[in-house]
Amino acid sequence: TDLVTLVKLMADRAGRPGAVPTFRPARTGDPRHSLADIAGARSLLGYQPIGTLEEALTETLAWFRTTLAAQ
């Protein structure tokens, strides 16, 4: 999932579907390219995701709303 898609998914679930990311110049130490891969975790640990990114974002947002409302 690329960063722009992730921002759009998060914005949609937060009720801000028109939100767009702000791009700034790279900082020292920022990776130029990144590619996550769970193949190693699958083969070595038998890891298997139990849900989708969309489901995880929905659950995470609900947790933050509940937690912050309790403060």
Side-chain angles (χ1 to χ4, degrees), residues 9-69:
L9 289 170
M10 292 172 65
D12 287 347
R13 276 150 186 76
R16 305 282 307 269
V20 286
T22 301
F23 295 96
R24 302 192 184 236
R27 298 172 296 181
T28 302
D30 281 352
R32 292 188 60 145
H33 302 284
S34 176
L35 180 60
D37 184 357
I38 64 169
R42 278 190 168 132
S43 67
L44 294 171
L45 306 172
Y47 174 76
Q48 183 63 34
I50 58 172
T52 66
L53 174 60
E54 291 82 358
E55 291 167 339
L57 289 174
T58 299
E59 289 178 25
T60 301
L61 184 57
W63 182 88
F64 272 103
R65 285 182 170 148
T66 301
T67 301
L68 293 177

